[in-house]
Amino acid sequence: MDKEAFFTLHRELPREGPGCPEDVLWAIGVAGTHGEARICDAGCGPGADTEALAEYLPEAWIDAVDLHGPFAEATSARCARFGPRVKAWQGSMADLAGPYDLIWCAGALYFLGVTEGLEAFRPMLTRAGRVAFSEPVLLGGAEPRAVQDFWAEYPAITDEAGIAARIAAAGYRPLDTRLVIGAPWEAYYAPMERRIAALRAEGVSDAVEAVLREGETEIAQWRTAPERIAYLLCVVEPE
Ligand SMILES: C[S@@+](CC[C@H](N)C(=O)[O-])C[C@H]1O[C@@H](n2cnc3c(N)ncnc32)[C@H](O)[C@@H]1O
């Protein structure tokens, strides 16, 4: 895929994957994160969850890291009002100094692999440190064609038991899980739909048009079976 064309669609979206502030609130409750905690938003995208973390935890110190520089810049701008307690930069989540009381990683751990990513995070955690991450999940039973097509580019997708096995293989135990389904996906796709329409109205190159069509196909597949397409949000700690 043409990277520049991809980011023409993806720049200026409020978030880069499904999620909502309530997920963040739930996870920090399960993790027991409070006060002047040190937190990392690993693979922060444009910073929607960084902002929620900073709002829910007004004394916390938050680092936000993304491989894609413009996302780190967007997160910095979005969180400027929190002052020095929120810092965002371009970098790899596999290579962080820490130590962190909580590593929040929404829709990004699969770039490293669940087991490999959790292993990489371990030395970056404080003694009581915890990780919250969301990961594509199969809900079980026969999957409609649209769901199979939706996940075609992520063949490593597994079900809840499969994710639990990957967590255990990294030497972590789960504290709690919940599904990210329905509204948090609308929060991702509705702004994308609006951006597709706005870009088309401006007129786009063939390369961008191809990206817009891919986006539309993905959204159409999701709309076919929104009750079958989910992430599992997991809060875990090292054993
Ligand atoms: C699906 S997006 C999710 C972004 C954000 N967490 C959200 O929910 O809006 C995944 C993000 O992970 C970033 N990413 C991928 N591999 C990474 C790595 N090794 N270190 C840091 N960020 C990474 C991508 O650039 C992308 O912004």
Side-chain angles (χ1 to χ4, degrees):
M1 178 184 288
D2 181 319
K3 239 176 150 184
E4 183 51 40
F6 176 84
F7 284 113
T8 299
L9 171 58
H10 285 265
R11 77 174 59 100
E12 291 175 34
L13 293 181
R15 56 179 313 121
E16 277 295 315
C20 61
E22 291 73 25
D23 292 331
V24 173
L25 188 60
W26 174 85
I28 60 183
V30 173
T33 313
H34 63 276
E36 295 185 18
R38 287 208 52 193
I39 299 174
C40 182
D41 186 351
C44 60
D49 296 336
T50 317
E51 190 176 27
L53 285 161
E55 275 171 0
Y56 287 133
L57 295 165
E59 292 168 29
W61 294 84
I62 301 166
D63 292 342
V65 179
D66 200 284
L67 266 190
H68 184 56
F71 284 158
E73 285 161 25
T75 299
S76 281
R78 185 173 192 158
C79 292
R81 72 181 188 280
F82 300 111
R85 72 187 186 87
V86 178
K87 262 193 301 184
W89 68 88
Q90 178 177 15
S92 174
M93 61 185 167
D95 187 22
L96 299 166
Y100 295 109
D101 300 300
L102 177 69
I103 298 178
W104 167 265
C105 187
L109 197 57
Y110 54 75
F111 286 103
L112 303 179
V114 169
T115 302
E116 296 78 0
L118 289 176
E119 282 171 345
F121 286 162
R122 199 181 182 116
M124 307 168 193
L125 292 172
T126 58
R127 271 171 63 87
R130 289 167 173 182
V131 180
F133 70 95
S134 59
E135 169 72 7
V137 66
L138 293 176
L139 299 181
E143 295 297 353
R145 183 71 214 200
V147 176
Q148 293 176 31
D149 290 346
F150 185 88
W151 293 122
E153 283 181 30
Y154 187 45
I157 189 170
T158 183
D159 58 10
E160 191 162 347
I163 295 174
R166 290 174 189 171
I167 292 168
Y172 283 69
R173 70 176 140 252
L175 295 172
D176 207 350
T177 62
R178 82 168 186 171
L179 285 178
V180 176
I181 195 164
W185 290 76
E186 188 70 41
Y188 174 43
Y189 285 136
M192 195 192 291
E193 267 176 335
R194 288 194 291 274
R195 181 141 177 89
I196 289 171
L199 285 169
R200 278 243 173 78
E202 282 171 17
V204 292
S205 67
D206 289 350
V208 173
E209 178 56 33
V211 170
L212 302 191
R213 270 197 241 111
E214 267 185 39
E216 281 175 326
T217 302
E218 183 181 324
I219 296 168
Q221 286 166 343
W222 175 69
R223 290 213 186 284
T224 309
E227 74 296 342
R228 300 285 312 162
I229 293 175
Y231 275 9
L232 189 68
L233 178 57
C234 308
V235 183
V236 302
E237 66 179 5
E239 283 182 312

